[in-house]
Amino acid sequence: MNLSPLPLAVFVVDATGTITSWNRACEKLAGYDASAIRNRGLDTIIAFDDASAVAAMRDRANADSTGELICADGRRVPVRVTVAPQSLDPDQPGSFSVIIVPRSGLAPTRYALIQDLPIADIIEELPCVFYVVDQSGHLLLWNHQLEAALELSSEDLPTFNVKNFFDEQARAGIVQKILEAFDRGSSSHEAELVGRHGKRTPYLFHCARASLGSLPVVFGTGLDISARKEAEHGLRVRERAMYASVNAIVITCCVDADNIIEYVNPAFEQITGYTLAEVKGKNPRFMRVDDCDLDERQRIHDALARQESVRAVLRNRRKNGEVFWNDLRIDPVSSIDGAVTHFVGVISDVTEARHYERRLQHLALHDGLTGLANRTLLLERLKAAIDAAAAHHKQGALAFLDLDNFKHINDTFGHEAGDAVLREIAARLRESMREDDTVARLGGDEFVLVIAEQPDVAQVAGLVERIRQSVSAPIHVGDKEILPGTSIGVSLFPQDGRTVDHVMRAADAAMYHAKTLGRNNVQFYSVELNQVVHQHLLLEASLARAIRNRELVLGYQPKVDLRTGKVVGAEALVRWQHPVDGIIPPDVFIPVAEQTGLIVPLGDWVLDEACATLRTLGALGIEDFSIAVNLSARQLRQRRFVHRLADTLARHGVAAHRLELEVTESQLMDHPEEALEALAQLKLLGVGLSIDDFGTGYSSLSHLQKFPVDCIKIDRSFLGSSTGLHNGHAVITRAIIALGHNLKLKVIAEGVETHEQLTFLRDHGCDQMQGYYFSAAVAQDGLQDMLRRDTRLAL
């Protein structure tokens, strides 16, 4: 192909500088015809400014020089001369390209010599870069798109070697492609043009060999493939994401109203066990489990028919036959014209999650130790049974079972044996009940039975009695034989209640009545028990109001040092001043508070009042004085109890050692590990600790010596009656005093009413006493007056 005159004049010379070929631009610029140029020495046409410094053409290679072009008419045109090896191939030396750019006036533009020809407009309008290079790789002609890509002007580009438009590591490949075009006639390659300011643009280049007169050249085009590269990158990323996804991905192709598998990723192969080769061309339905999840599968079928997205959870079968749960989402894929051609399905194996969910659901509704229904499931089943009984005009029953002396079983045989007993009783109850009935454990040693649709009370009574006998049969744990017993309370529905709450209250009341009658027996709910429950409910409501309305008051029973007779402390005793019924003693309302949870706000109020009294006494100068407050089991188990107590002490400005907390022996031994942790936290706070009613529980010395207590209180039952101490009481009291002192604990006797009791305690080294012999509980004013007057016990 021959191209019209170019903007740059190019000679080709051999190693001696003899001109062997040229382009028409040379003829037009210098005015020589072909016969006048051929075989002339370069020095006869160009007068180099540095001629004396250059010995040979190779010394001029790859360097710019200046000089004057000697034209045919004698004119001398200042020029810039670039000499380069005529071939990019280093294995073919011997000839050189000499490119001449006039220096006078304006530098030539890219179409200076062809601007009047139509080809210039054509080249400028090309939707790509256009270029022409000679065998040395130097740029001879280009369009504005190339300037824009390289961030260079037309003045900057003449004589540039094209390899410098690319990254250094890519240049060898670029040279090879240009040489390939010279050698084979054409070549193609992809590369990034790098602009002066760092802009990078990927292009697809096509090169073709041509000649300009006798000058061999390569011309070519470069198509900007940025969008394609970005799309390819996105495709590679998405393909890699699909390949690496932990979820199974299935791509199906819509063929004749069917959807056949076209692609599956490795996660699909891992989850299902099928390879792509095994499933390609099949409909994914081949993995379904027959007769399972029919509604979900129909929903999927309908959505695909409407060409809509759908999500479902259903079961499929792996290659090995195993059934697995999968969370499936299917989305349609449309072509450019909007027609749905494929569907993409994403499968998450949720088998473990499904099993875990079921385990959680089971744990949420069942007791962890026995596997029986827990309170939540019990209430649900009981409500259903009550509703069914009302709807079918049938009778049902609810039985509360409480094991007798279960704490003694734990203390005697250990908690592991106690757990074994609970599991065995649970098994016996399940065996005794029908499949439709419910057996539940509420915690501890409390079991509940929901007995549905019984024909009459006699049937219920016979069943419950058989259950009592079954539960009471000996249980063998290892080499030990344990004889459990149970007290059972039964309520009938709808006779004894038409709501869950009423039926449960009735059964609970009947069970407590069974315990009061000697335990290990069955009691049905009665009208008399209903009156007791009603009174209990009224008392509960009144107590809540009493706490809000501050109807409660504290009395303080002084504690006396038996060595000096001095009052050294007091025990805070709460009383209820009912606006109608007058003073209600604590043994009436404290159990109600314990059962209903009101003991927590009640206990907080008592602690606040006691600290306020200590603050008042401190203001009077009475600092060496402590107040003891009884602590309930609920308070002791509360997680933030210690923090609240610290806040109360700080708010009243009371030193922690002036407050003493009393816990009963049974509270400590119910859960000794938890009690030990709670007492340790209280001890760190600095409050005093004492064990109340010592000797009445089932404590072990190994546990007792671990508790960080300061004193023990001898229960009043060990001091005998007002007529005197009998020998058994005296022995126990002396033993408790000796035990306490050996453990370096202070010993306090409560309920002292006679001089004989006082003398006995003092003679045997008891540290303190409290009781009616010295003083009953007094109000805060009375306590202040007693301390101001330094009232003492006459010893």
Side-chain angles (χ1 to χ4, degrees), residues 74-226:
R75 288 181 299 111
R76 287 180 174 258
V77 179
V79 293
R80 186 173 76 242
V81 182
T82 300
V83 178
Q86 208 268 330
S87 174
L88 288 170
D89 188 352
D91 295 330
Q92 298 180 6
S95 60
F96 300 86
S97 291
V98 180
I99 303 171
I100 301 171
V101 179
R103 289 188 290 140
S104 59
L106 295 174
T109 63
R110 54 184 176 268
Y111 304 116
L113 301 181
I114 60 169
Q115 56 188 352
D116 296 329
L117 297 178
I119 193 169
D121 294 333
I122 294 173
I123 293 173
E124 275 301 297
E125 295 301 323
L126 288 174
C128 57
V129 299
F130 177 84
Y131 54 90
V132 176
V133 296
D134 66 6
Q135 284 183 296
S136 68
H138 284 77
L139 190 64
L140 304 180
L141 179 64
W142 63 94
N143 62 358
H144 74 282
Q145 286 93 333
L146 184 63
E147 294 175 1
L150 296 174
E151 300 176 298
L152 294 171
S153 67
S154 60
E155 292 79 9
D156 298 322
L157 280 174
T159 74
F160 253 79
N161 192 300
V162 293
K163 68 182 180 182
N164 295 320
F165 299 156
F166 303 91
D167 273 332
E168 187 173 352
Q169 59 269 28
R171 290 173 185 172
I174 299 298
V175 168
Q176 187 59 41
K177 285 297 180 180
I178 295 174
L179 291 174
E180 183 180 327
F182 276 110
D183 183 41
R184 299 183 182 178
S186 66
S187 67
S188 298
H189 64 280
E190 293 181 9
E192 280 187 336
L193 286 178
V194 181
R196 171 187 287 176
H197 304 299
K199 182 176 83 168
R200 291 174 174 270
T201 311
Y203 281 90
L204 172 60
F205 293 101
H206 292 286
C207 302
R209 184 179 61 207
S211 63
L212 299 174
S214 60
L215 181 65
V217 294
V218 162
F219 74 91
T221 58
L223 184 65
D224 185 343
I225 56 173
S226 300

Side-chain angles (χ1 to χ4, degrees), residues 4 93 420 724:
S4 295

Side-chain angles (χ1 to χ4, degrees), residues 351-363:
T351 308
E352 283 301 317
R354 197 79 172 188
H355 292 165
Y356 182 64
E357 180 183 335
R358 289 185 174 181
R359 287 195 295 272
L360 286 180
Q361 188 176 14
H362 184 272
L363 290 174

Side-chain angles (χ1 to χ4, degrees), residues 26-43:
C26 293
E27 297 177 5
K28 187 169 184 177
L29 182 62
Y32 296 103
D33 58 18
S35 62
I37 294 177
R38 183 176 295 111
N39 297 324
R40 291 188 64 164
L42 185 62
D43 290 342

